[in-house]
Amino acid sequence: MQPSGLPTNPDFSSQVDAALAAGDVANAVRLSRQAVAAGERDPFLHNLMAWQMVEDGDPRGAELSLVQALAHSPGDPHLLTTLGLALRRQHRLSEALEVFDTAIAVAPGYAVAWLERGFALHQGSSLNMAANSYHRAIALDPGRSQALAGVAAIAAAQGEYASARVFAGRALAIDPGDAVARCAVARCDIAEGAAAGAVAQLRELLAEPALNAENHSAAASLLGDGLARIGETAAAVVAYADAKSKLAAQFPYLVALEGHRQLADRLDQHIVAAGPGPWPVVAAGETRRHAFLLGYQRSGTTLVETILAGIEGVAALEELPTLAASQAAFLKDADGLQRLDSADAATLEPFRRAYWQRVADFGVGANAKLFLDMDPLKTLDLPLIARLFPAAPIIVMRRDPRDVVLSCFSQNFAASPVALAFTSLKDCARHYDAVMRLQASCLARLPNPVLEIRYEELVNDFDAVTRQLCDFLGLPWSEALRDFSTAARGLDVNTASVGQVRKGLFDGGGQWRQFEAEMAPILPILAPWTEKFDYKS
């Protein structure tokens, strides 16, 4: 993003303008640093310096500098937009979006703010909302190649390959080197039978020294997909691992947090130490109907959500932090878990209200016939669900653990503590094992009604399994549910599975066998679960 603004000090700004006009950004930044150090308050110079700090890998330093600049120039849309960029690069997406919205409120015609808002939403996997922001940026500045490329990337991820090629072509006509647009074309080629050509193009892109870590991660992940399509599985595993390492390198502060697997282990140890027997039930005053849909990443939760969301009166949210308040209060340490175990009705009620407030904030009204809270890894929240909502039905998705682990390793997830648990096949297997151990401990104690659904049975005997699902939730079944892929196009589905769900039923069972040699070292870790869930062949 090239910064912009309104320079006011001729002593510094004219020199900076001259350097930028000559294409000498490095000198312009150097002059801006000198000006700021000398006490210059010109927002343009502060913005240029901070923007370069972000590009140089110091978003936190840029944030601090921008906060000081905004104290002297409150409401400056350029400073605000660069601040949002700095926050986004730290994966503080909610804060970044608030700042972008503030910038847009001040300057609704500022295309860069809309573009950066799109980047933040895209990074957080809010694909449809991101596309809307990109389109606003394009409407304001039709030559904004990054916005065109963003639309192309989203269309390709959603399986809209013709549209993806159109927007990628427009972006590449402006900037032939745009990595996002090139990746979008490669994704289309892989999906449409031209994987060998995509592999060659992606290798060429990855060899470019100027490619940043974010785009490197995306390109390496696609390279793995292309190599898998042409049968080069060992090379595909190397490419996927490269993608994961670049992802982790972008967010070192996430690496420093308690790992997702470590959290699952800690919760399980506490539950096991507490001994057998169900969690004590404290009746909830809230009578709204809702259900939780969980399981594990890539286990089929998006498919089930999409099917159920097609029923009139069902409202669904996917992978959103509806339990954030209770997580902060009870899951951060051992003392919190002990407080949760002994909490009475008066203690729990504020957290129930906080849950429903979050649901409302995310746009679900109280008049829904059924609210479906879909999040494959809300397994870690089962202790909270049991105490806060002991009557809420829980649907647990099952899929062959070997296919699940392979899919998690090969998928290019947005940065998060969970994504950093998938940096190698071994890490994926260990994470799956930890989460399944916790899930088993929780299911043995839950007061809630539970239904387990097997992905493979759902795609091969759709009517029988969906009838069972509807009966469990007290919902009407109809033949219209079979047309869920058409309905999915009108839903704001943002998970990594959206492209596949929009194509209809797909039996993804047994994909791991192509990688059997590469997965051999981790199969013993998964063996207890393939046995327990009856995936023996």
Side-chain angles (χ1 to χ4, degrees):
M1 182 190 74
Q2 182 67 32
S4 58
L6 299 173
T8 58
N9 188 312
D11 295 335
F12 289 112
S13 63
S14 60
Q15 297 179 60
V16 171
D17 280 347
L20 289 174
D24 190 354
V25 175
N27 189 39
V29 171
R30 181 184 63 80
L31 290 167
S32 295
R33 289 182 185 276
Q34 290 179 356
V36 171
E40 173 58 49
R41 294 183 178 181
D42 183 347
F44 174 80
L45 301 177
H46 280 268
N47 194 46
L48 178 60
M49 183 186 74
W51 171 77
Q52 190 61 49
M53 290 173 72
V54 174
E55 295 303 303
D56 290 342
D58 185 18
R60 176 58 177 164
E63 176 194 354
L64 296 175
S65 176
L66 288 160
V67 168
Q68 292 179 350
L70 282 163
H72 301 298
S73 304
D76 184 282
H78 311 290
L79 292 174
L80 287 166
T81 299
T82 306
L83 175 58
L85 167 63
L87 294 168
R88 178 175 72 81
R89 290 289 180 86
Q90 297 175 70
H91 201 68
R92 291 158 60 186
L93 300 183
S94 295
E95 295 172 74
L97 287 168
E98 289 182 9
V99 172
F100 292 137
D101 287 344
T102 301
I104 288 166
V106 173
Y110 186 31
V112 175
W114 284 105
L115 174 67
E116 280 291 343
R117 185 176 186 272
F119 287 155
L121 290 163
H122 201 162
Q123 186 174 325
S125 297
S126 295
L127 302 187
N128 289 350
M129 294 173 66
N132 289 338
S133 284
Y134 289 145
H135 280 294
R136 290 294 298 270
I138 294 166
L140 291 165
D141 183 0
R144 186 65 60 177
S145 63
Q146 293 166 298
L148 292 162
V151 173
I154 291 170
Q158 294 179 331
E160 304 290 344
Y161 303 124
S163 177
R165 291 185 186 278
V166 168
F167 279 95
R170 290 175 61 185
L172 292 170
I174 298 167
D175 179 5
D178 191 293
V180 174
R182 291 162 71 182
C183 283
V185 172
R187 185 188 289 271
C188 295
D189 288 344
I190 293 167
E192 295 183 330
V199 165
Q201 293 297 319
L202 288 164
R203 281 177 166 156
E204 181 179 312
L205 175 60
L206 287 163
E208 295 180 3
L211 188 68
N212 65 32
E214 183 178 7
N215 290 333
H216 185 113
S217 181
S221 182
L222 284 170
L223 176 62
D225 293 343
L227 290 166
R229 283 292 181 96
I230 62 177
E232 297 184 20
T233 53
V237 167
V238 172
Y240 290 137
D242 180 31
K244 301 297 187 182
S245 68
K246 288 295 188 297
L247 177 71
Q250 293 174 66
F251 301 99
Y253 79 97
L254 286 177
V255 178
L257 299 176
E258 179 181 32
H260 203 261
R261 175 165 61 90
Q262 287 70 33
L263 174 59
D265 282 335
R266 178 167 62 81
L267 294 175
D268 185 51
Q269 291 167 7
H270 174 85
I271 292 167
V272 171
W279 272 291
V281 173
V282 176
E286 175 61 61
T287 58
R288 290 178 61 181
R289 291 190 62 212
H290 70 305
F292 292 91
L293 171 57
L294 49 87
Y296 197 83
Q297 301 285 84
R298 312 295 290 170
S299 65
T301 50
T302 299
L303 174 58
V304 172
E305 177 212 1
T306 305
I307 293 166
L308 292 175
I311 299 174
E312 184 179 358
V314 175
L317 288 176
E318 57 187 30
E319 301 185 19
L320 289 171
T322 51
L323 288 161
S326 48
Q327 288 171 341
F330 298 119
L331 300 189
K332 296 299 185 183
D333 52 49
D335 290 343
L337 290 168
Q338 292 169 0
R339 291 195 302 274
L340 178 64
D341 289 343
S342 60
D344 58 16
T347 301
L348 295 175
E349 188 58 32
F351 294 99
R352 293 192 184 105
R353 291 198 299 269
Y355 172 87
W356 287 115
Q357 183 58 56
R358 290 284 278 182
V359 171
D361 291 344
F362 288 129
V364 175
N367 58 344
K369 181 188 301 182
L370 176 75
F371 165 56
L372 183 67
D373 192 336
M374 187 283 269
D375 190 336
L377 288 180
K378 271 198 167 74
T379 284
L380 276 71
D381 295 321
L382 281 172
L384 300 172
I385 294 169
R387 300 293 344 262
L388 294 174
F389 305 109
I394 295 173
I395 305 158
V396 178
M397 287 301 299
R398 297 278 182 234
R399 186 184 176 195
D400 189 322
R402 296 160 294 191
D403 284 327
V404 166
V405 165
L406 173 63
S407 188
C408 287
F409 174 62
S410 62
Q411 181 64 43
N412 187 36
F413 290 109
S416 69
V418 180
L420 296 183
F422 300 150
T423 52
S424 70
L425 279 169
K426 189 172 185 179
D427 284 341
C428 286
R430 286 177 169 172
H431 183 269
Y432 182 88
D433 175 62
V435 173
M436 289 303 105
R437 282 188 282 107
L438 172 62
Q439 187 183 95
S441 297
C442 291
L443 291 179
R445 302 189 68 191
L446 281 176
N448 307 67
V450 176
L451 175 67
E452 296 189 14
I453 297 288
R454 291 169 70 93
Y455 166 79
E456 296 83 359
E457 291 178 359
L458 174 60
V459 298
N460 288 297
D461 194 358
F462 182 85
D463 284 4
V465 176
T466 53
R467 285 182 187 276
Q468 181 187 23
L469 184 59
C470 287
D471 288 344
F472 176 69
L473 296 173
L475 295 172
W477 184 92
S478 74
E479 294 181 358
L481 293 184
R482 298 169 186 162
D483 196 27
F484 70 88
S485 60
T486 300
R489 297 181 183 277
L491 298 174
D492 193 16
V493 179
N494 296 311
T495 66
S497 305
V498 59
Q500 187 57 59
V501 168
R502 290 181 175 182
K503 295 176 184 177
L505 290 178
F506 168 72
D507 187 353
Q511 294 187 41
W512 72 274
R513 292 194 179 281
Q514 183 187 6
F515 290 83
E516 189 165 4
E518 290 76 25
M519 294 182 69
I522 68 165
L523 294 180
I525 300 174
L526 301 177
W529 306 108
T530 56
E531 177 78 20
K532 179 179 178 64
F533 302 147
D534 198 25
Y535 290 101
K536 302 173 187 177
S537 60

